[in-house]
Amino acid sequence: MPKNKAVGPARFPRGSYTISSAGSIVVSTLPGTFPRDRMVTIGRAVLSALSSARELGTPFTELAADYAGVEIRARDLSGGAIIFITPQEY
Amino acid sequence: MPATVQARSPSEVTPPDPAGCGPSSTAEKGGGKPPADGAGGRILILDDDPDFLETYRRILSRLPSRPEVRIATCATRALALLESEPFTLLITDLRMPKIDGFQVLMGARRRFPTLKTVAITALSDQQYRARAYASGIDLYTEKPTTPTEIRLFGECVDALLTQGVREGGFRGIQSKSLMDLIQIECLSQNSRILRITRGSLEGRVWIEGGNVIDAEVQDLVGEEAFKQIFGWKNGNFELLPGDPKRQRTIYGAYESLLLDSAQSMDENAAHDPDPGAGEDPGMARALRPLAEVRGVESLLLITGQGTFESWGVENAEESAGWTHRTLAAFQALGEALNAGPLRAVEATGSAHGVVLLSQNGQELMAGIDRKQNARMVREAGKELATHLGKE
């Protein structure tokens, strides 16, 4: 009988990238194997959270999402953001 | 959103200089090397006199707490710096062209409730002084000129910087009681509404032409309400414009009202000690253990669709919506990335910091004291998650 394969979070590379306020990637230190569309998806979520907080009158300069597999930390850059991807230590 | 703060900004972001204050307004790093974690505090000095700024930058950066000192020669520049960087203390001249120190203080107090403020002026005027204190400053002083005055000024600033989180007192009148605050307003014959909040409680005192004419808190009005508010030992206050149409329910002189209230407070003190934040009578039971977590200053717990409990949160309904949408968006992102369960979302700004958690079908937004560093914010988040897990 085949053994059940353990299912856990995906492995993430370490690096950072900058995303413009329009959601396009400006510069990245992440390896080329990390899909660009994932970077855009993360960037959109971050920019949306930062802009909705701004609209509420409580602008944030830093935002971090802590997942079991990765930490996504972003700093506001005048409407855009620099995003740091840090895999969690197991 | 909460009136709490966690100040961390990207140091690489330089605020714009929309006022074009010129090169003399360029903020400079203070000579004092701040201790790790910025424990020495950060001071922003605003004055339109560059010579004064330079002199006081040097003096203050040598204080025992070794603060980092930055300077600005115009209000616009100062406000931009406050928006983009964390500061412990703002020192401002009151008389300046275009935007004066009072306007800066009002703006700074609204945006950064925990920022300590000092007003300095070359004028010796009692009414000016009363107005400055009424605007919620921590210290009012004439510009020091002699070596002794400079030394005393430095000691006062150092004391403000090294003072920890206040255990009592009203924000803005930190070394003063509500009694002092009302006395200042009445002596100045002002017409104001004093709005005082403490956790989820809100009280109002109407002052008209230097007389206390009415008060309101929960379902109490008049003297009863005044005495209830007067018994609060801490909270936040805001001075609103007076309301001449307010019906008068308090007729006695303010001095006797203050005296009566102080007496009632003394009599009740032994039987009814001032409850701490965790025992705020207006706080929902479910929030009480969460409020005891170190650094927590406000809470919003969403228990079901459209139902939530909050404590110390302004715009609770809008904040609940933002919390729900943000958590949903990052949960969806986690699923799309296969990043594993979302443990927490932390967001920090120059005037506030929050931790968002989702557990057992409940969603929590906790406002965290801005003096907490990133590690402490994370620890607070873990502790809050443990409490939520027990629900």
Side-chain angles (χ1 to χ4, degrees), chain B residues 3-6 87-89 108-109 111-117 138 166 171 236 297 350-351 369-371:
Chain B
T4 60
V5 265
Q6 161 76 15
F87 285 96
T88 320
L89 175 68
R109 286 258 302 112
R111 295 281 298 122
F112 314 104
T114 62
L115 177 73
K116 291 168 184 170
T117 46
D138 292 293
R166 280 177 293 281
R171 175 62 206 150
N236 295 299
E297 289 194 333
S350 56
D369 177 7
R370 84 165 173 179
K371 291 183 188 73

Side-chain angles (χ1 to χ4, degrees), chain B residues 132-144:
Chain B
Y133 271 119
S135 71
I137 56 160
D138 292 293
L139 177 69
Y140 172 94
T141 180
E142 284 171 38
K143 280 186 178 173

Side-chain angles (χ1 to χ4, degrees), chain B residues 328-368:
Chain B
F330 279 97
Q331 274 162 348
L333 178 69
E335 282 166 25
L337 299 174
N338 189 22
L342 176 66
R343 294 165 175 166
V345 175
E346 296 156 14
T348 53
S350 56
H352 42 264
V354 295
V355 174
L356 308 183
L357 298 165
S358 178
Q359 213 161 42
N360 291 347
Q362 300 185 107
E363 292 172 334
L364 176 76
M365 180 184 81
I368 309 290

Side-chain angles (χ1 to χ4, degrees), chain B residues 32-48:
Chain B
K33 192 178 177 184
D37 296 328
R42 300 184 80 237
I43 302 175
L44 175 63
I45 320 177
L46 166 63
D47 196 300
D48 56 340

